[in-house]
Each structure stands twice: as C-alpha cells, then as structure tokens.
Amino acid sequence: MKSFDEQLEHLVKEALAEDVGDGDHSTLSCISIDKKGKAVLKIKQEGILAGVEVAKKIFTIVEDGISFHQYKQDGDTMLFGEKAFEVEASIHTILTCERLVLNCMQRMSGIATLTHTYVEKLKGYHTKILDTRKTTPNFRLLEKEAVKIGGGINHRFGLFDMIMLKDNHIDYAGGLEAAINSAYAYTQTQKPGLKTEVETRSIEDVKIVCAIGKGKVFRIMLDNFTPKQIEEALTIINKDFETEASGGINLDNIISYAATGVDYVSVGGLIHQAKSIDLSLKAVII
C-alpha cells in the first residue's frame, strides 16, 4: 500500500486536474504570471482545526519554495477571528489552490470537530470511538485523517486491511460457522496475519462465535444491540474477544453504550453527518 504522503499527492493532483482543466482562466486573464502575493487563512467558526498540513502540501505540489507560516496546528481548538496560516507564493499558485485548500480544510475541520465532541462524551469510560467506511469516494484518506485529528480511531481503511464478516457475507456463505471457518482457512493460505471481525445479530450469534471463533476471530461486532443486550453479550464473551457496538449510536445515546463497558463503538456519522466549518483564504495586500 502507498504511504499517506503518496496517496495525498495523488489525491491533490487529481483534484487540481479536475478543477483547473486547461487553465485557471480567471487568474490568467488578469494577474501577471510572475507576480508574488500573500494570503491568510481566516477562521470564521469555532471548532477543531484540521487540514493545515494538507494545505501546505497542496501549495507545495503546485510551487516549490513557497513560504508557509503556521499559527495553529492540526488538532488545535480554533475560535472566530483567529488565523491558521499565512502563505507567500505566486499569486497564480494561491488562487489556483484556494478552493481545493478550503474544501479540504472545511470538510476535515467539520469531521474533526464532531469527532472531538464524541471523544469528550466518552471521557472517563473504557469505550473508544471508531469511524466506518461510510466515506466520500476518493476522499476517504482525508476524512479518516480528520477523525484521527479529532481524537477518534480509524476502523479498517478499506476492504483490503481487515476481514469483516457482515450479515450479507454470512448469509451468502451459508451461516456463521461456514463463514468463520472459510475466512480462517483463507487467511492461513492467502493472507497470514490478516485479522477477522464478525458481525453478530443476536445473542445466539454471540454464543456461536464464542464457541468456534477462538484463534480465528479477534473482534465481535454487536450490531443493533440495545445496551441491555450488550451487557448480556459481554458476559458471554468474557473478554475472550474485542467487542464493538454498532448501529444507531449517536451523541444522545452513546453514554448508555459506553456504560456497558464495550471496547469500541463505531459511528458512521462521524464522517457522513459532519458539517463543514467556515474558513476563508484572503489576500493580504502588501
């Protein structure tokens, strides 16, 4: 798998190609190509800042040797009126990168801010929060990075880095036992070391996994269980497997799930329900 920096460079180049096309004609039409300028990233809404390092990478990909001065770091609390960074570069570079920088930072900051809200709710509890694969196509890299900046934990990145036997896999495979045994055989011959998580839909499912899954399964997902059902399941599991609660968990009810002692809760809404934070990139006239 490519490194984060390699994936980010690919994302940035593809996004710029989509936006610029055969030229940034707005800028080309009225700004001399050799003119230098400065711009400042202004914060217009409180939250958790995310994407500063991404912004620096975007500008650097377009122009070597830019001057980039950070006032705040990724993960910092931000308040209205503060500045995140200043950049000095060709005005063409600043204007061409402006919208991509803002799109990334506004989206990432919204995700980091919502994730931080969940993390704060879980303070004092054993339970940790996970994201999911409910992401924007071709933007997952930065959405999941924003979850980490906000204090959350990434679940699997994609279909390639963990086996997760969900309801459809189990039904197509012919049941829990068949799915678990087939996945275990696959990892032994094709992907040694790849971990397997299994979704359970009932207490009976939990009992089956506990009976046949030791050494084959590392985590049991308790899907759409009530907190009371999770407590019952945890008694059966007896810490032999990691545990994850999933389905319908939100800020209003997350404490009731954390109070059960489950290891993780996964919340797709960290990403797909996050609202972008208001930021602006403004020219500094010297």
Side-chain angles (χ1 to χ4, degrees):
M1 182 179 174
K2 292 181 178 179
S3 69
F4 178 86
D5 284 344
E6 289 172 324
Q7 292 180 73
L8 177 57
E9 183 166 351
H10 175 77
L11 185 158
V12 169
K13 288 181 175 179
E14 289 295 309
L16 286 169
E18 175 188 56
D19 201 24
V20 175
D22 69 350
D24 174 9
H25 299 301
S26 303
T27 302
L28 288 166
S29 68
C30 64
I31 306 292
S32 172
I33 198 166
D34 60 355
K35 196 169 184 181
K36 299 292 184 179
K38 180 189 289 188
V40 60
L41 195 290
K42 294 185 176 182
I43 294 162
K44 302 172 73 176
Q45 187 179 349
E46 66 180 41
I48 301 298
L49 183 64
V52 177
E53 293 297 331
V54 171
K56 183 178 181 180
K57 181 73 170 180
I58 292 169
F59 287 118
T60 302
I61 285 173
V62 175
E63 179 184 336
D64 285 332
I66 65 162
S67 174
F68 192 90
H69 179 72
Q70 292 181 224
Y71 294 104
K72 301 185 79 65
Q73 307 295 321
D74 285 332
D76 284 353
T77 299
M78 57 181 176
L79 300 173
F80 177 86
E82 292 183 319
K83 295 190 292 186
F85 65 78
E86 284 187 351
V87 59
E88 291 186 59
S90 161
I91 293 176
H92 278 241
T93 295
I94 292 170
L95 294 176
T96 298
C97 295
E98 175 186 1
R99 180 43 52 192
L100 179 56
V101 166
L102 289 173
N103 284 346
C104 291
M105 290 192 67
Q106 289 177 159
R107 178 77 178 133
M108 290 180 71
S109 295
I111 293 168
T113 298
L114 182 56
T115 301
H116 178 75
T117 303
Y118 274 92
V119 170
E120 287 295 301
K121 280 263 190 180
L122 291 175
K123 275 191 172 179
Y125 291 93
H126 165 75
T127 305
K128 305 298 181 185
I129 193 156
L130 299 171
D131 57 21
T132 72
R133 284 173 52 245
K134 294 177 181 177
T135 57
T136 306
N138 296 323
F139 201 66
R140 181 177 299 178
L141 178 75
L142 298 187
E143 289 176 333
K144 281 186 167 280
E145 181 68 13
V147 168
K148 290 196 295 184
I149 290 170
I153 299 171
N154 291 156
H155 208 301
R156 59 178 179 160
F157 189 86
L159 294 172
F160 57 87
D161 57 344
M162 181 193 295
I163 291 176
M164 182 183 286
L165 302 176
K166 293 179 68 66
D167 52 357
N168 285 338
H169 299 92
I170 292 163
D171 292 343
Y172 280 135
L176 265 173
E177 185 168 357
I180 290 170
N181 288 336
S182 293
Y184 179 70
Y186 178 85
T187 59
Q188 298 310 294
T189 59
Q190 303 297 320
K191 295 290 289 185
L194 193 65
K195 292 183 176 182
T196 297
E197 177 173 0
V198 177
E199 178 182 296
T200 57
R201 292 171 275 183
S202 66
I203 293 296
E204 187 57 37
D205 282 355
V206 172
K207 291 177 180 178
I208 292 171
V209 177
C210 288
I212 67 170
K214 289 182 181 179
K216 302 175 182 179
V217 173
F218 89 104
R219 183 184 297 161
I220 296 176
M221 176 189 284
L222 306 165
D223 191 48
N224 289 307
F225 280 48
T226 65
K228 185 175 180 180
Q229 289 172 321
I230 289 174
E231 289 177 351
E232 182 180 356
L234 293 180
T235 300
I236 296 166
I237 294 167
N238 195 32
K239 299 184 179 180
D240 287 336
F241 304 86
E242 290 185 8
T243 54
E244 174 188 340
S246 182
I249 301 173
N250 53 52
L251 286 170
D252 293 331
N253 62 20
I254 193 169
I255 295 303
S256 63
Y257 285 89
T260 67
V262 68
D263 294 321
Y264 300 99
V265 292
S266 53
V267 179
L270 291 182
I271 292 172
H272 69 71
Q273 291 181 3
K275 295 182 179 180
S276 293
I277 296 292
D278 194 7
L279 305 168
S280 65
L281 187 67
K282 293 299 183 182
V284 177
I285 305 303
I286 302 172

